[in-house]
Amino acid sequence: MRQSFVLFILGLVLAVSSCRTDFDTVASTGDLKFSKDTVYLDTVFKNIGSSTYQLKVYNRSNDDISIPTIQLKKGLNSKYRMTVDGSSGNNGKIFKDVTLLAKDSLYIFIATTADITDANPADFLYTDEIEFDSGVNLQKVALVTLIQDAVFLYPKQFADGTSETIPLDGKEIDGFYLDENDDVNGNELLFTNEKPYVIYGFASVPESKTVTFEAGARVHFHANSGLLVNKNSSLQINGTVSATDKLENEVIFEGDRLEPDFSDIPGQWKSIILADESTNHSINHLTLKNATVGLSIKNHDATTVQIKNTQIYNCSQYGIMAQNAQINGENLVIDYAGLASLSCVYGGNYTFTHCTFNNNWPGGTQFAVNVSNQLAEATPETHDLTKATFNNCIIYGSNANEFNLDKNTNAEFVYQLNNCLLKFSAATSNPDYQFATDSEHYTAIILNKDPKFYNISKSKFNIDNTSSAFAKGNQAYAIPLDIIGNTRTSPPDLGAYQSKDFPK
């Protein structure tokens, strides 16, 4: 009996299915609806493919329809390409007789690879349209892309399929030496503001040479790329104060993904490495973001690295990682790093004045500032920390403790904090953290008071007169101008920014 019932049900299903009219389509009548009427494919560099963007097409009617044609207006000559519900059609340009069921939708995915010569010379826009149907039923969706011309720097490719490499830490890595007399680019050791630069692999500064970045220079690093400054070589970053939020005079280092979704993604490229025995480095008005390690400084016993008016954000490991280095930092802002915003290890000599070190990376083990005279190894190797001084600084973040001292008694460990706002809320008997009673190491420390940054999520570390850092600095350490060129008052505010009023 049960077997007969099952056979009856199967027969009924087959009978109903044979009467379906789902695929008896009617021609489209031009009533398609779209998720957007213009698809903006964000800025790309010439001949570098964009990300893929989505358009959704809806059939709101009660009829299954057939769209005779979906195509790019420029046809097979278009620099755009599409897939329509997974189909690539004719080279991703033309699709025929596309079925769209009643009350259903389909996805179109669009990407482009366009050259600057394809763009409108007046505005550098490359445009096209997706056309649905034709004649009286014609519907259109516009496509718009901004194309940027750029200087591309990358390793040489050899006939045997290999590419140029350079040495780094005892290994050969993909990279190349910047050439001051390159046949195509001219002086590759001078980065101007005329065009953005895109770097593939590690760009290496030859020994005893100087690489210079002029005010307004824009440098984009591809995945796993970076800059290596070698022995006896120098880095000079000559940014200046900008008048607008466009940071027109700032030197900017970031990844080569220009879409808004990638604007704050850590770890998109490697690092700026100042190698052991590199020398005479000066960094002024640099904005660096989305690296693995922003600045890796290893200039053991060499000249002091001068870093001023610089912002470093969204690094997957460290904003600055210094090993037995010498650094003088003024008006620095470092935030959001997977391990530490600032980490000074294996000793060295450091002075930081009017700096804002913050870390809001999710998790409980990150620090805004880490200071150590050893390397974290099975048998730690030590080196003297001859000086680690913080004046008029803010050291803050989302964790209970944002300041860490990692001292090995086998080497010198000299540190001092003067007029600093500090996040350290755990009670401890450790003699290194006696902020109120240890006058040798701590003077005028403000503990666990909210600095009330303007907007951390947008990397706005400005403060106003309601901040606990307002007018708490020592005039003896004051830098006359803040990170954006505002005159400091007396007494000065703590951190990189002089206070101002913000719109409510």
Side-chain angles (χ1 to χ4, degrees):
M1 180 71 177
R2 178 181 298 173
Q3 196 171 28
S4 299
F5 178 75
V6 171
L7 290 173
F8 171 75
I9 294 298
L10 287 173
L12 181 62
V13 169
L14 289 172
V16 171
S17 299
S18 66
C19 298
R20 285 175 62 92
T21 61
D22 285 352
F23 299 100
D24 295 335
T25 60
V26 298
S28 171
T29 58
D31 293 325
L32 299 171
K33 305 298 180 183
F34 307 105
S35 57
K36 57 190 76 175
D37 56 14
T38 301
V39 179
Y40 294 97
L41 287 81
D42 290 299
T43 305
V44 298
F45 296 112
K46 63 176 185 178
N47 284 331
I48 302 298
S50 72
S51 292
T52 300
Y53 293 79
Q54 173 187 300
L55 174 70
K56 201 169 184 181
V57 184
Y58 303 93
N59 174 15
R60 304 293 194 195
S61 74
N62 295 319
D63 297 318
D64 301 336
I65 63 173
S66 177
I67 307 170
T69 303
I70 299 176
Q71 69 174 35
L72 294 163
K73 185 175 182 178
K74 294 179 180 177
L76 297 176
N77 294 321
S78 179
K79 298 296 181 179
Y80 291 101
R81 60 190 181 278
M82 304 184 293
T83 60
V84 177
D85 262 6
S87 170
S88 58
N90 185 353
N91 292 315
K93 318 289 185 180
I94 302 172
F95 302 78
K96 296 290 188 181
D97 301 319
V98 178
T99 297
L100 182 52
L101 302 182
K103 306 296 184 182
D104 204 353
S105 61
L106 59 81
Y107 285 95
I108 297 179
F109 295 99
I110 312 117
T112 186
T113 301
D115 190 88
I116 191 68
T117 57
D118 300 313
N120 183 337
D123 54 18
F124 301 106
L125 295 178
Y126 180 71
T127 61
D128 201 346
E129 294 177 329
I130 306 176
E131 296 184 335
F132 297 83
D133 210 332
S134 60
V136 296
N137 296 327
L138 180 64
Q139 294 180 271
K140 300 178 181 181
V141 172
L143 304 175
V144 179
T145 306
L146 176 64
I147 312 294
Q148 280 201 48
D149 198 2
V151 176
F152 291 87
L153 304 174
Y154 48 85
K156 293 183 178 68
Q157 307 297 309
F158 302 121
D160 62 359
T162 62
S163 60
E164 187 178 3
T165 62
I166 59 170
L168 177 64
D169 295 334
K171 301 177 181 178
E172 290 291 321
I173 63 168
D174 289 336
F176 58 97
Y177 289 96
L178 294 168
D179 186 349
E180 57 190 330
N181 295 297
D182 184 77
D183 292 340
V184 175
N185 300 318
N187 185 0
E188 294 178 339
L189 290 170
L190 178 62
F191 287 70
T192 72
N193 58 17
E194 295 178 6
K195 295 180 181 180
Y197 294 79
V198 183
I199 293 178
Y200 290 77
F202 264 83
S204 182
V205 182
E207 189 171 341
S208 301
K209 297 292 185 180
T210 297
V211 61
T212 301
F213 296 84
E214 293 184 345
R218 302 290 190 261
V219 185
H220 301 265
F221 294 90
H222 192 62
N224 299 315
S225 298
L227 177 69
L228 172 62
V229 185
N230 287 294
K231 178 180 179 181
N232 297 325
S233 298
S234 301
L235 170 68
Q236 298 289 308
I237 295 178
N238 299 327
T240 60
V241 173
S242 299
T244 73
D245 289 340
K246 294 182 179 180
L247 301 178
E248 63 277 2
N249 296 321
E250 194 91 352
V251 174
I252 298 179
F253 290 170
E254 60 183 325
D256 64 346
R257 299 297 300 271
L258 305 184
E259 308 91 318
D261 287 347
F262 285 83
S263 63
D264 298 315
I265 301 298
Q268 295 181 44
W269 55 285
K270 286 292 188 182
S271 183
I272 306 301
I273 300 175
L274 307 184
D276 189 12
E277 297 186 75
S278 60
T279 186
N280 193 31
H281 305 301
S282 176
I283 300 172
N284 198 4
H285 285 287
L286 168 68
T287 293
L288 185 158
K289 59 182 184 176
N290 305 335
T292 301
V293 177
L295 294 175
S296 176
I297 303 175
K298 304 177 181 180
N299 63 326
H300 302 176
D301 303 318
T303 57
T304 300
V305 179
Q306 301 288 342
I307 311 174
K308 301 179 179 181
N309 308 307
T310 287
Q311 306 171 73
I312 301 176
Y313 302 121
N314 305 322
C315 294
S316 59
Q317 294 182 7
Y318 301 98
I320 293 180
M321 162 55 83
Q323 293 187 22
N324 189 24
Q326 299 184 53
I327 300 175
N328 179 44
E330 300 176 359
N331 288 335
L332 309 185
V333 178
I334 310 179
D335 178 51
Y336 204 75
L339 296 175
S341 294
L342 170 71
S343 187
C344 301
V345 303
Y346 196 48
N349 186 303
Y350 310 97
T351 301
F352 296 99
T353 305
H354 277 295
C355 297
T356 299
F357 302 110
N358 191 75
N359 200 353
N360 273 60
W361 190 279
T365 60
Q366 296 78 23
F367 297 105
V369 171
N370 175 62
V371 179
S372 176
N373 62 352
Q374 62 182 347
L375 293 176
E377 298 175 347
T379 303
E381 183 178 349
T382 64
H383 199 283
D384 288 341
L385 177 70
T386 58
K387 184 179 182 182
T389 298
F390 297 82
N391 302 315
N392 292 352
C393 291
I394 298 173
I395 301 173
Y396 204 75
S398 55
N399 288 332
N401 299 329
E402 290 290 352
F403 179 64
N404 185 59
L405 297 175
D406 178 25
K407 181 169 72 173
N408 190 310
T409 56
N410 291 327
E412 193 173 9
F413 196 91
V414 179
Y415 64 98
Q416 187 170 31
L417 280 71
N418 302 306
N419 298 81
C420 292
L421 187 155
L422 186 65
K423 180 80 170 289
F424 196 103
S425 61
T428 177
S429 60
N430 188 322
D432 294 331
Y433 300 107
Q434 301 308 308
F435 306 108
T437 59
D438 181 3
S439 59
E440 178 185 356
H441 296 108
Y442 302 104
T443 303
I445 301 301
I446 302 171
L447 274 180
N448 306 314
K449 299 293 186 180
D450 189 351
K452 297 184 179 179
F453 296 127
Y454 180 48
N455 193 327
I456 293 175
S457 65
K458 294 184 178 180
S459 300
K460 301 291 187 182
F461 289 90
N462 315 69
I463 62 172
D464 63 16
N465 59 10
T466 67
S467 170
S468 298
F470 174 72
K472 295 299 192 298
N474 188 327
Q475 188 65 30
Y477 308 121
I479 306 298
L481 302 179
D482 77 352
I483 189 172
I484 53 176
N486 293 323
T487 301
R488 283 196 165 92
T489 57
S490 180
D493 302 328
L494 304 183
Y497 290 93
Q498 176 65 27
S499 58
K500 61 178 290 187
D501 293 330
F502 299 107
K504 302 300 182 184

